[in-house]
Amino acid sequence: ASGKSQCAVLDAHVLKERRVLSTRQTSPNETIEGIQILRAVASMMVVVHHATHSVPGAHWLPFGGAGVDIFFVISGYVMAHTTQGMSPGKETASRFIRKRIARIVPLYWLATLWVTRRTPPDLNLVKDFLFIPHYNAQYPEMINPILIQGWTLNYEMLFYGLFAFCLLFPRRLAILIATLAVLPLLGSLLPAEFGKFYGSDIILEFGFGVLLQMAVARWGMPQWSRASWLVLMGIGFAGLIAGYALEPRSVTQGLPALLIVWSSIKACEGWLKIKTLKLLGDASYAIYLFHWPSFGAVKPLTALLGPEWITTLMLAHILTAAVSGCLIHLIIEKRLTNLANVWLGLKPRPRLAYAP
């Protein structure tokens, strides 16, 4: 009888350990491997999608633009995750927005200056520096910055501003979700391009990421096999393909992106050991900003080769974007971000060493 009771105690202990493992959460400062891998995937989806515009006759990955929807869900998740346990107040809000400015602004400004290096500055350049939406001079029907793909950063910076404001209050995530939910409804009240731009339901996708993080923080992740999580990711990508270019975007692309982000947390766990994937994830922002300008390096090759070289040209565009983005990340972005952190008071200024 004592042997049976010992076995029962041991079984209960094992069951408790399993429950702990199933609900274990990464700390706010710990990298979530699956999401970092997904950053690499999302950035390369956008690269392939845009490369088809530079290679006549190419029709690769027509749903690649949905990489943006994945990025928005990731942003919501990561912002909620990294601010867990922070006390509400001005200092928390100030530090949060300064960190986001240091991360986003310097490289975006550099990319914008690069694409406008041969044109005189105008009011639209000032608007882009301040993340103010406007109609694009080259494509008058589109509300895009001069750096075309920078339209997503106008949404990102709005989200960060709202998030920083909500950090002033104890129930910050509830206030944030409510604010994001009503924003598309307020679009008709805003003037001209502001209403058309900020009235888009795509902004709800940030809220999807926040809600996902809240659910994971409360209930943890199911202890399913990696194969099960990969199948779920596959279903998510199938949803992106089926719903691409359909409306409302928050449903047809946002919900599949939500499933992809959730499943990636477990499906891609441990994959950061693959150094190439880790580098692509770390460099995803630089790749996203500079991939279109980098295509200029392949332009002579595109003009030289005929339509039968579509595969070669597409691979050349993709490789050029990935390599140039990684180099910019390693050589420029890391230094710029570090300088911005120092300038914004997030890191101490380095002390100069004087010879005795």
Side-chain angles (χ1 to χ4, degrees), residues 82-94:
T82 55
T83 54
Q84 286 183 101
M86 289 185 180
S87 301
K90 293 181 181 179
E91 179 56 35
T92 298
S94 170

Side-chain angles (χ1 to χ4, degrees), residues 28 48 52 86 132 159 162 185 209 227 236 248 300 310 318 332 335 343:
V48 175
T52 60
M86 289 185 180
I132 298 173
F159 172 63
L162 291 173
L185 304 176
I310 286 177
I318 294 166
I332 299 173
R335 288 176 170 83
W343 187 72

Side-chain angles (χ1 to χ4, degrees), residues 52-355:
T52 60
H53 297 295
S54 299
V55 179
H59 301 286
W60 291 23
L61 209 66
F63 66 96
V68 165
D69 304 87
I70 295 173
F71 271 130
F72 283 179
V73 177
I74 287 175
S75 288
Y77 188 97
V78 171
M79 294 307 104
H81 175 72
T82 55
T83 54
Q84 286 183 101
M86 289 185 180
S87 301
K90 293 181 181 179
E91 179 56 35
T92 298
S94 170
R95 185 170 182 82
F96 171 84
I97 199 65
R98 282 182 287 143
K99 286 180 72 173
R100 300 323 303 160
I101 289 172
R103 176 74 179 91
I104 298 298
V105 172
L107 199 66
Y108 176 61
W109 282 4
L110 180 64
T112 300
L113 289 172
W114 176 256
V115 298
T116 60
R117 65 193 183 278
R118 293 191 180 96
T119 57
D122 58 10
L123 182 59
N124 282 342
L125 180 62
V126 177
K127 289 181 177 180
D128 288 350
F129 272 26
L130 299 176
F131 300 94
I132 298 173
H134 61 82
Y135 283 100
N136 188 282
Q138 189 176 358
Y139 306 99
E141 74 285 358
M142 298 170 60
I143 301 176
N144 284 91
I146 301 168
L147 182 70
I148 298 294
Q149 63 270 34
W151 67 270
T152 61
L153 298 180
N154 290 340
Y155 284 118
E156 291 276 3
M157 292 304 289
L158 173 67
F159 172 63
Y160 296 149
L162 291 173
F163 203 109
F165 174 74
C166 293
L167 284 171
L168 296 171
F169 307 100
R171 296 184 60 81
R172 53 179 174 261
L173 296 185
I175 297 171
L176 178 66
I177 292 297
T179 305
L180 291 172
V182 300
L183 266 180
L185 304 176
L186 299 177
S188 59
L189 303 178
L190 297 174
E193 59 260 46
F194 291 98
K196 185 176 179 181
F197 188 78
Y198 290 124
S200 171
D201 66 307
I202 196 174
I203 205 164
L204 298 177
E205 294 174 1
F206 294 104
F208 293 169
V210 173
L211 288 171
L212 175 61
Q213 192 280 330
M214 293 170 69
V216 171
R218 182 166 184 175
W219 293 296
M221 295 287 291
Q223 288 300 96
W224 299 333
S225 66
R226 188 190 297 274
S228 299
W229 289 112
L230 286 170
V231 168
L232 276 179
M233 276 190 76
I235 293 172
F237 278 107
L240 282 185
I241 296 169
Y244 189 67
L246 299 178
E247 296 293 339
R249 184 167 180 168
S250 60
V251 174
T252 60
Q253 294 168 65
L255 292 180
L258 174 64
L259 179 59
I260 291 167
V261 173
W262 180 52
S263 54
S264 75
I265 297 172
K266 284 293 185 181
C268 305
E269 204 170 45
W271 288 8
L272 281 185
K273 294 175 184 176
I274 304 173
K275 292 183 179 180
T276 302
L277 285 178
K278 183 181 185 305
L279 179 57
L280 288 173
D282 293 344
S284 58
Y285 183 48
I287 292 172
Y288 179 76
L289 286 182
F290 283 91
H291 72 274
W292 226 327
S294 76
F295 291 163
V298 195
K299 200 171 182 180
L301 189 63
T302 307
L304 180 65
L305 300 179
E308 66 274 15
W309 292 89
I310 286 177
T311 300
T312 301
L313 290 172
M314 283 294 295
L315 292 176
H317 278 78
I318 294 166
L319 185 62
T320 300
V323 171
S324 61
C326 289
L327 289 174
I328 290 168
H329 166 69
L330 294 171
I331 299 170
I332 299 173
E333 181 186 8
K334 294 173 76 172
R335 288 176 170 83
L336 273 181
T337 305
N338 187 61
L339 286 172
N341 278 313
V342 171
W343 187 72
L344 291 170
L346 296 166
K347 288 184 178 181
R349 295 182 181 275
R351 293 184 178 181
L352 296 176
Y354 295 96

